[in-house]
Amino acid sequence: MAVTHTASLTIAEMREFAGFTAAEQRYIRRSLDIGLSRCDAFRIWGRNPGENAAIRSQYVAYQELKALRSSIPEQSGFDSIEGFVGKLTRVAAFDLAQERIDSFSAFRFLYERLISADVRPWLPSAFCAAAALPQIRPERRKMLLQSLSEAAATAPGWSDRQPSFYPEFIEEAAA
């Protein structure tokens, strides 16, 4: 029974990923490669000098991930919120400014894999803070903030189940 339940949750994660735009899917896969140190992102994702520069910037921005993984605050207190949420917002702002993530769902999908399931309660506030920054174009800011559902913004609790599907780069088959 447990194997069937786990398999169905993995399939649900795959379906969720399939619902994202092609640009979101590509950015999530690239971000996971960089953030989880899965491969040489320049070799796999760098198609031109502009993308290589963006990948280099992403490597720098993602230096905060290790500290974020080890400093997720307890939900019940206010200790260490400032440092954690500030760093999380800075990394989130970097990702949203790349204009490849168009929704809270894609953002949440990425960050629960980059950091862990324990970050879920903190994601709506970090997303709102990052999306509302003046570095995000006004029309994009509106689109991003409207993508956060009332249910996600006001959730009374979050699952602590770790994600099981981590999408990866797949080379196109030769025709």
Side-chain angles (χ1 to χ4, degrees):
M1 178 68 179
V3 173
T4 303
H5 182 65
T6 303
S8 65
L9 291 172
T10 302
I11 291 169
E13 291 176 14
M14 290 175 167
R15 283 189 179 131
E16 180 181 20
F17 182 74
F20 299 144
T21 67
E24 286 174 319
Q25 290 179 14
R26 185 175 199 283
Y27 190 78
I28 288 169
R29 289 191 309 263
R30 184 183 98 180
S31 298
L32 292 175
D33 284 347
I34 293 169
L36 302 177
S37 302
R38 298 193 303 192
C39 66
D40 178 3
F42 292 105
R43 184 178 55 79
I44 297 212
W45 299 104
R47 298 180 291 192
N48 58 51
E51 277 193 351
N52 284 335
I55 291 168
R56 191 172 298 106
S57 296
Q58 195 169 8
Y59 269 114
V60 171
Y62 279 14
Q63 293 301 306
E64 297 282 6
L65 291 176
K66 186 175 184 180
L68 287 168
R69 289 181 192 118
S70 64
S71 65
I72 299 173
E74 295 294 319
Q75 293 180 41
S76 59
F78 290 100
D79 299 339
S80 68
I81 288 177
E82 181 180 344
F84 179 78
V85 173
K87 287 179 183 178
L88 180 58
T89 300
R90 184 172 51 241
V91 177
F94 171 85
D95 281 329
L96 295 180
Q98 301 306 300
E99 298 194 358
R100 301 291 192 294
I101 298 289
D102 294 336
S103 67
F104 176 72
S105 297
F107 173 83
R108 181 199 41 77
F109 186 93
L110 172 60
Y111 275 76
E112 65 187 20
R113 284 157 181 77
L114 284 175
I115 299 175
S116 82
D118 297 331
V119 77
R120 285 184 185 122
W122 302 99
L123 293 178
S125 58
F127 179 81
C128 286
L133 289 170
Q135 289 87 341
I136 307 297
R137 293 182 298 109
E139 61 276 1
R140 183 155 181 75
R141 194 177 317 145
K142 180 179 179 182
M143 178 196 67
L144 289 167
L145 291 170
Q146 287 178 339
S147 75
L148 179 63
S149 70
E150 181 179 344
T154 62
W158 296 87
S159 167
D160 60 357
R161 185 187 63 79
Q162 294 297 329
S164 58
F165 173 62
Y166 289 74
E168 296 185 37
F169 176 82
I170 299 173
E171 285 194 53
E172 291 186 33

